[in-house]
Amino acid sequence: VDRRADIFAAGIVTWEMLTGRRLFKGDDDVEVLHRLLDMPIPRLRQLVPELPESLERALARALERDRDRRPATAEAFMEALERAAPEVGGLASARTVGAYVEQIAHEKLLIERRRVREVGTPLPTDTPSTPSSFSGTPAEHGTLVTLH
């Protein structure tokens, strides 16, 4: 097992995002694993024919069972997806993705923001920390992400 196993996993996640369904279903994890190892992987365009062939090819390479036929790195897989992106409307900016997440998960984000504020209290002075000069709240030191 090497980093190409991660490429395979990323291929599964991408396939499932694009089709809106699980790659393989089963009654339990063992059955799903058996299907994953032995059954043909459905072609992306069989389920979503409007997607470009370049995207299907990039994904099919990531889902190769023979790891030597997969992209060697996540960067190579990303580059293949980026080359296909213009055919499906391009890539979204971080700002666009953030706005979309805010739109669909507004209430959950509010709850999480409250939780972050609640845990952002000063550490007791007798608690060892790294570096030893640490004082104040985690948020003051940039260790918590604040969502606005």
Side-chain angles (χ1 to χ4, degrees), residues 18 22 40 59 85 93 111 130 134 143:
L18 292 170
R22 298 290 308 263
L59 200 50
S93 69
I111 292 167
T130 304
F134 183 85
T143 56

Side-chain angles (χ1 to χ4, degrees), residues 37-110:
L37 294 173
D38 298 329
M39 292 184 67
I41 295 174
R43 304 295 294 183
L44 180 64
R45 295 185 70 224
Q46 288 175 330
L47 297 163
V48 192
E50 63 272 15
L51 291 176
E53 289 179 22
S54 59
L55 183 57
E56 182 178 59
R57 280 191 305 274
L59 200 50
R61 273 201 70 217
L63 292 172
E64 284 283 351
R65 289 197 172 101
D66 178 354
R67 68 181 181 186
D68 293 331
R69 296 182 65 181
R70 290 182 210 141
T73 64
E75 182 175 12
F77 180 43
M78 177 192 67
E79 288 170 355
L81 293 174
E82 287 176 342
R83 283 191 300 275
E87 295 180 60
V88 290
L91 298 174
S93 69
R95 182 183 309 263
T96 301
V97 172
Y100 178 72
V101 170
E102 178 71 36
Q103 177 186 349
I104 64 171
H106 182 73
E107 292 300 318
K108 288 182 181 180
L109 289 172
L110 288 176

Side-chain angles (χ1 to χ4, degrees), residues 113 116-117 139 144-148:
R113 287 178 189 135
V116 167
R117 281 192 292 273
L144 288 179
V145 175
T146 304
L147 301 173
H148 297 284

